[in-house]
Amino acid sequence: MKKKKSNLWWVSVLSIAGFITIWWVCCDVLKLTSSASLPGPITIFKSFVNKMSSTAPDGATLPGHMLSSLQIALGGWGMGIVIGTPLGIIMAWYKKADLFVRPIFDLVRPVPGLAWIPLMILLFGIGLIPKIVTVFLSAFVPCVLNSYAGIRQTKDVHLWVGQTFGASDLQMLFHIAIPTALPLIMTGIRVALGSAWTCIVAAEMLASTKGLGYMIQQARGIYRSDIIICGMLSIGALGALFTWILTKIENRIVKGVRKDA
């Protein structure tokens, strides 16, 4: 299976190449759209290279915008993982904790991350804190939900075996329930990453002076669709990179747990 997967990498490359070719034919060959509304891939590549060192028209280079967005997104996302994942585990394992926290959590859960932005701006202004808190709230919910679901799906028979061999409550939690829940916990972390990126871009569009969302918003105001697309591709590339890293980490963790088991 591993050899087959490694030999099929060209399928993904072919998919990307096919998309770029279709885009180029439609925009640069057939001229189905105006260059102002949808530039071709060659124009986008030139704009991307230029924006790597140019601060026009928004006051910062593309790496500067990316670094600003990463700082906020990773900060809020990390807080969501550190607080949300243990909370979900505690709620699932301890009935009293579930009864105590759930009413508040059920009030917060339906509120989308974007809805917190106006309140955060009123409370903290337009600095880093409101955006980090907003991203945290957006990433917090999927971390809680997936860790909770992962612990709850632990099979009773496994717990009975642990009790039979004299395992304590904490030993069963750390050696049976959490290892069983790891796939769902990692899924929650990945979902939280997507929510964090969605939220930070929207927050930067509304109240920021730097970041990919800010860059896209400024480009929209001056009808620079090439810069807008550069920003979108940067967000997609960063998201894909972190998803790939998380997948590698998950595979290592799951393999390690299986070996220990």
Side-chain angles (χ1 to χ4, degrees):
M1 290 298 293
K2 289 183 178 179
K3 289 184 177 180
K4 288 183 179 180
K5 287 182 179 180
S6 62
N7 290 334
L8 292 177
W9 60 267
W10 59 269
V11 176
S12 298
V13 175
L14 184 63
S15 173
I16 296 173
F19 172 77
I20 294 174
T21 301
I22 294 172
W23 180 12
W24 173 72
V25 170
C26 292
C27 295
D28 294 336
V29 178
L30 300 178
K31 307 288 185 182
L32 297 179
T33 60
S34 65
S35 58
S37 59
L38 182 60
I42 297 175
T43 302
I44 298 300
F45 178 75
K46 291 179 179 179
S47 297
F48 185 87
V49 172
N50 179 65
K51 190 61 182 165
M52 293 296 289
S53 58
S54 174
T55 58
D58 44 58
T61 62
L62 181 59
H65 286 304
M66 292 171 68
L67 186 60
S68 178
S69 293
L70 279 172
Q71 178 184 2
I72 299 168
L74 294 181
W77 177 56
M79 288 174 58
I81 295 171
V82 170
I83 297 175
T85 301
L87 180 62
I89 293 172
I90 292 170
M91 288 172 62
W93 193 252
Y94 298 105
K95 185 67 174 178
K96 291 181 179 179
D98 189 17
L99 293 173
F100 181 78
V101 177
R102 179 167 290 279
I104 300 174
F105 180 74
D106 284 343
L107 288 174
V108 174
R109 182 178 62 176
V111 181
L114 301 181
W116 291 98
I117 296 174
L119 178 61
M120 293 300 108
I121 293 173
L122 290 175
L123 289 175
F124 303 107
I126 60 173
L128 289 176
I129 294 177
K131 290 188 281 291
I132 291 177
V133 173
T134 302
V135 172
F136 158 70
L137 291 169
S138 183
F140 169 78
V141 173
C143 287
V144 173
L145 289 176
N146 281 269
S147 58
Y148 181 92
I151 296 297
R152 295 289 289 184
Q153 76 171 7
T154 305
K155 294 182 179 179
D156 291 336
V157 65
H158 294 161
L159 298 178
W160 293 337
V161 171
Q163 290 174 342
T164 300
F165 282 94
S168 66
D169 191 61
L170 284 178
Q171 286 176 327
M172 288 191 292
L173 173 61
F174 284 99
H175 294 284
I176 299 175
I178 291 179
T180 302
L182 273 178
L184 266 179
I185 291 174
M186 293 302 299
T187 298
I189 291 174
R190 286 200 300 269
V191 172
L193 178 62
S195 300
W197 271 115
T198 301
C199 196
I200 185 55
V201 171
E204 288 174 342
M205 285 183 174
L206 292 176
S208 187
T209 58
K210 203 173 184 181
L212 292 171
Y214 174 77
M215 184 184 80
I216 291 172
Q217 180 70 358
Q218 294 300 306
R220 182 194 66 83
I222 58 175
Y223 300 100
R224 288 290 303 273
S225 56
D226 57 330
I227 295 180
I228 293 174
I229 295 174
C230 284
M232 293 169 62
L233 291 176
S234 298
I235 293 168
L238 288 172
L241 173 63
F242 280 103
T243 299
W244 178 79
I245 292 173
L246 282 175
T247 301
K248 293 294 183 181
I249 293 173
E250 179 182 1
N251 291 337
R252 285 183 176 273
I253 291 174
V254 172
K255 285 181 181 179
V257 169
R258 287 175 178 173
K259 285 182 180 179
D260 293 339

